[in-house]
Amino acid sequence: MRGLQLESNKRDRAVDAWLEKHLDGLVDLYEHLHANPELSLEEEKSAARMAKELRAAGYRVTTAVGGHGVVGVLENGPGQTVLIRGDMDGLPVREETGVPYASKVEVTREDGTRTGVMHACGHDVHMTGLVGTARLLAQTRSLWTGTIVAIAQPAEELGRGALAMMDDGLFERFPRPDYTIALHVESGVRRGAR
Ligand SMILES: [Zn+2]
């Protein structure tokens, strides 16, 4: 018990120290992703960036898995396999936040109408979290063993991207996970709150 506690304290400290050093770079990545959103099934540049980041972190990367899906694998000795998922698509929403890194992206939809595009659902946060987690795990390899499968998933808003990646062999072509982790951000403002 004591040993486990010491181990986890050591890990917590390593994570805190790592974040302190790398947070600014991750915020830059977040602002870049926020300013450059893409609609579902059109996540070409986001996928390219995710592939580049995962490769740079030392992952073996495969692109075009179920459309624009990206899979990065990091093997670190014997142990269990953990899959970490981040999604990439933005929404057809015109941004009016006024933040310096606001999206000015506008596209023509299939029906010919114009729409703004915005990361209004927070998938820019998810991609940043995926890259940060992937980098952190790669740089703290002495603290864990096993395999990480980091995936950037397209078309979450349509409910199709995860299925497309599985249909394209996510669980056959890459290590099958014992655990899968995904998260979704939530607005701090509650509707109806005074
Ligand atoms: Zn979402």
Side-chain angles (χ1 to χ4, degrees), residues 44-75:
E44 195 180 339
K45 290 188 198 123
S46 305
R49 183 64 187 260
M50 291 299 102
K52 185 179 156 198
E53 295 290 346
L54 291 173
R55 260 188 210 112
Y59 288 64
R60 191 172 70 242
V61 171
T62 306
T63 55
V65 180
H68 290 304
V70 177
V71 180
V73 177
L74 181 69
E75 282 162 345

Side-chain angles (χ1 to χ4, degrees), residues 18-19 22-23 25-30 32-33 46-59 61 70 74 84-88 123-139 148-152 183:
W18 187 91
L19 253 184
H22 295 269
L23 190 59
L26 289 169
V27 171
D28 289 346
L29 174 64
Y30 162 75
H32 170 81
L33 294 168
S46 305
R49 183 64 187 260
M50 291 299 102
K52 185 179 156 198
E53 295 290 346
L54 291 173
R55 260 188 210 112
Y59 288 64
V61 171
V70 177
L74 181 69
I84 305 165
R85 184 208 74 149
D87 40 15
M88 299 185 285
H123 298 186
D124 44 359
V125 181
H126 303 172
M127 284 189 275
T128 307
L130 179 74
V131 169
T133 308
R135 281 186 197 164
L136 168 69
L137 286 164
Q139 291 171 15
I148 302 297
V149 180
I151 69 168
L183 60 81

Side-chain angles (χ1 to χ4, degrees), residues 87 121 123 126 156-157 184:
D87 40 15
C121 196
H123 298 186
H126 303 172
E156 190 270 345
E157 299 293 351
H184 204 298

Side-chain angles (χ1 to χ4, degrees), residues 10 20 34 40-42 44 54 58-59 63-64 76 84 87 93 107 120 141 145 147 151-152 156 160 171 175 178 185:
K10 193 172 152 197
E20 185 130 341
H34 186 84
S40 305
L41 302 173
E42 296 175 12
E44 195 180 339
L54 291 173
Y59 288 64
T63 55
N76 188 32
I84 305 165
D87 40 15
V93 171
V107 297
R141 267 177 264 201
T145 60
T147 297
I151 69 168
E156 190 270 345
R160 281 159 55 182
F171 294 140
D178 298 296
V185 292

